[in-house]
Amino acid sequence: MSKELLLLAKRVQAIAEGGNHYTDSDWDRDRYEELEDIAMEMMSMITGEDLERTRERLGGRRILLYDNYPVNDDGRRLSLGLILGPLRQRSPEIAHHVAGYLACPMHQLGASRLPLRTVADFLADPQGYDPDRSWQAAIADLAGDDPAALDAL
């Protein structure tokens, strides 16, 4: 992400956080939360070019990337929401620019198993990674032969 887009995303996030803090309207709160989610999604878009620029600023050393996914302790929802979707919006170029990749699980470690399986798929084959196919495979694997678990997931 370019520096300009990052600054815009941070501005949107700040406006949303301020509005969310001061509004008494549920309708407004929903809109502000949506803006916060959009800003966070924009800021999570990491490209190989971004990492290469960071490497240059660090003297060319390879980077240990700490990806704040699928963590859900953002303070707004007090960890009530579980992140059960697949890893998305990560450039396959990341693998060429980092020395290591750390994913941050949720406090609900059992629930983290599903999204972390998709992270593992991405890291195993960044070029061929398909989030939806990975997610479906993770669901099938975790549910096993239990139809109730498959239905629940």
Side-chain angles (χ1 to χ4, degrees):
M1 169 181 293
S2 72
K3 189 175 187 177
E4 294 80 16
L5 281 177
L6 179 59
L7 291 174
L8 286 173
K10 286 183 177 184
R11 285 177 57 195
V12 169
Q13 182 183 33
I15 291 167
E17 287 175 351
N20 206 9
H21 180 76
Y22 289 106
T23 189
D24 291 325
S25 164
D26 288 338
W27 190 89
D28 286 345
R29 184 166 286 106
D30 287 344
R31 304 290 95 45
Y32 287 128
E33 287 180 2
E34 180 70 15
L35 284 174
E36 277 188 88
D37 291 344
I38 290 168
M40 292 301 292
E41 193 171 316
M42 288 174 65
M43 289 187 281
S44 74
M45 296 177 189
I46 302 167
T47 66
E49 186 178 302
D50 296 330
L51 292 172
E52 189 57 36
R53 282 195 305 267
T54 301
R55 281 183 69 184
E56 288 171 10
R57 288 194 305 267
L58 295 173
R61 286 173 282 194
R62 295 193 71 204
I63 297 168
L64 174 64
L65 180 62
Y66 181 91
D67 193 345
N68 212 23
Y69 176 83
V71 73
N72 64 342
D73 59 352
D74 64 2
R76 294 179 293 139
R77 294 179 183 89
L78 303 173
S79 298
L80 294 176
L82 297 177
I83 311 298
L84 299 177
L87 180 70
R88 295 188 185 275
Q89 299 175 325
R90 302 303 186 272
S91 169
E93 301 169 6
I94 288 173
H96 303 294
H97 297 279
V98 298
Y101 181 103
L102 299 174
C104 183
M106 297 177 277
H107 291 293
Q108 300 86 355
L109 294 177
S112 293
R113 292 173 55 205
L114 178 55
L116 288 176
R117 295 272 180 111
T118 69
V119 171
D121 282 350
F122 169 74
L123 295 173
D125 183 10
Q127 295 294 332
Y129 177 68
D130 177 329
D132 296 318
R133 188 176 65 226
S134 174
W135 186 61
Q136 290 296 330
I139 288 171
D141 186 45
L142 290 171
D145 294 333
D146 184 347
L150 185 60
D151 188 47
L153 291 171

